[in-house]
């Protein structure tokens, strides 16, 4: 018997990212020839270790729309800085009618968020954070974009430059003499 351990028919290899289909909508475009039906999918991808991305795409059927959205999400991944198991600082971000507030939370409090913001924060892998959707919109895609704008606003901690360390060492030796 010849057994192969590679990818078989109908089997997919395990992705490095967890995915969540946030929104799935049937949309129609009315043209001269009639109505054209397609499906819009909003997918959020994350590795639960600080990398997260989202994608919105349309396809003739659900599976095609989801695959396109996953590919788009992989192209638009961001790295979220996690400091002491939470976010670095308080931030409010707005996208169109959606406003999202993110606030650092103490250790052990978990993710306090609702709806689309919760999905993004869980897949980003932030263990403790408090969030509130301030806008009046119920549009999940707008909330996701506002949450991403908030996560992108965090500054990366700058790595110390080598020449600054050398200068400090020289100054320290000069003082000792």
């Amino acid at each position: 018997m010849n057994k192969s351990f590679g990818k078989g028919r109908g089997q997919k290899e395990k992705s490095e990212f967890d995915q969540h289909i946030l929104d799935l909508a049937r949309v129609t475009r009315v043209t001269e020839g009639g109505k054209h039906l397609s499906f819009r999918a909003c997918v959020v991808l994350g590795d639960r270790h600080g990398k997260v991305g989202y994608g919105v795409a349309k396809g003739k059927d659900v599976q095609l729309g989801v695959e396109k959205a996953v590919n788009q999400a992989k192209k638009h991944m961001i790295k979220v800085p996690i400091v002491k198991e939470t976010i670095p600082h308080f931030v409010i971000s707005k996208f169109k009618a959606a406003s999202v507030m993110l606030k650092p939370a103490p250790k052990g409090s978990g993710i306090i968020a609702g709806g689309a913001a919760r999905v993004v924060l869980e897949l980003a892998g932030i263990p403790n954070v408090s969030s509130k959707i301030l806008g009046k919109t119920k549009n999940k895609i707008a909330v996701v974009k506002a949450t991403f704008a908030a996560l992108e606003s965090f500054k990366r901690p700058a790595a110390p430059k080598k020449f600054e360390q050398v200068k400090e060492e020289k100054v320290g030796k000069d003082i000792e003499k």
Side-chain angles (χ1 to χ4, degrees), residues 33 36 39-40 54 85 98 118 125-126 132 162 170 172:
H36 290 281
F39 294 90
R40 182 191 66 210
Y54 77 96
E85 295 188 17
R118 180 181 197 90
I126 303 170
K132 177 75 178 149
K162 289 184 179 178
K170 280 187 177 179

Side-chain angles (χ1 to χ4, degrees), residues 46-139:
D47 67 352
R48 297 184 192 270
H49 295 290
K51 284 184 85 174
V52 68
Y54 77 96
V56 180
K58 292 179 194 164
K60 289 291 178 193
D61 64 342
V62 174
Q63 188 177 1
L64 198 63
V66 170
E67 283 177 16
K68 282 182 175 180
V70 167
N71 289 336
Q72 188 180 5
K74 284 180 182 176
K75 290 178 187 174
H76 301 293
M77 298 293 280
I78 63 168
K79 183 88 173 110
V80 180
I82 299 172
V83 179
K84 296 180 184 172
E85 295 188 17
T86 187
I87 56 176
H89 56 81
F90 174 89
V91 66
I92 293 178
S93 184
K94 186 171 173 9
F95 178 81
K96 296 194 176 181
S99 291
V100 174
M101 182 253 326
L102 297 178
K103 192 167 75 170
K107 195 172 187 176
S109 58
I111 298 173
I112 302 166
R118 180 181 197 90
V119 172
V120 172
L121 295 170
E122 279 180 354
L123 291 176
I126 303 170
N128 304 302
V129 65
S130 179
S131 171
K132 177 75 178 149
I133 299 169
L134 302 171
K136 295 190 178 191
T137 185
K138 294 178 183 169
N139 186 340

